[in-house]
Amino acid sequence: MYIVIFKAKVKQLNEQYNDFANQLRTLAFNEFGCLDFQSIAENDQEITLSYWPSMEHIKAWKAHPLHQQAQKLGKKYWYHSYTVQIVEIIKEYSINSENN
């Protein structure tokens, strides 16, 4: 499994951003095999984690025309800067105290 880590310094988010974000999230799940998608924003910082079964899934999602358009708008209007990292999970474990 892979995680795409998107970290950005926000310039200005608007209604168009919200529409694109919702469409892209739906697209990621429904058409490109995204397993989980979490986003958090605080002040002028945004971090989004998306989980994928393979690099091929990530590449296909990135190449989609709607995602390409969002990237252009992000560079022009929404973000001062951003970084994308793709990492492979090599080990995972967890605890669930709710079941004790």
Side-chain angles (χ1 to χ4, degrees):
M1 180 169 24
Y2 294 83
I3 302 173
V4 175
I5 304 167
F6 175 82
K7 298 186 285 186
K9 184 173 181 187
V10 175
K11 184 186 303 184
Q12 180 180 5
L13 303 182
N14 55 25
E15 190 62 36
Q16 184 183 35
Y17 167 84
N18 291 332
D19 291 342
F20 267 89
N22 289 332
Q23 289 179 56
L24 286 172
R25 180 185 295 252
T26 299
L27 187 69
F29 281 114
N30 294 343
E31 294 187 34
F32 292 101
C34 183
L35 303 169
D36 195 7
F37 200 104
Q38 303 168 4
S39 188
I40 189 165
E42 184 175 315
N43 300 319
D44 66 346
Q45 301 294 313
E46 176 183 335
I47 298 175
T48 300
L49 305 174
S50 56
Y51 295 75
W52 303 86
S54 72
M55 285 297 299
E56 290 74 25
H57 287 86
I58 295 167
K59 289 176 185 176
W61 182 64
K62 184 179 190 289
H64 189 277
L66 185 67
H67 196 188
Q68 294 285 316
Q69 186 179 6
Q71 289 174 46
K72 289 177 186 173
L73 292 168
K75 290 175 186 175
K76 188 171 183 178
Y77 299 113
W78 302 329
Y79 301 114
H80 287 293
S81 62
Y82 66 84
T83 302
V84 176
Q85 299 170 310
I86 300 174
V87 299
E88 183 175 12
I89 297 174
I90 41 180
K91 184 175 182 178
E92 178 180 351
Y93 58 93
S94 62
I95 185 170
N96 185 345
S97 63
E98 293 177 355
N99 293 331
N100 292 335

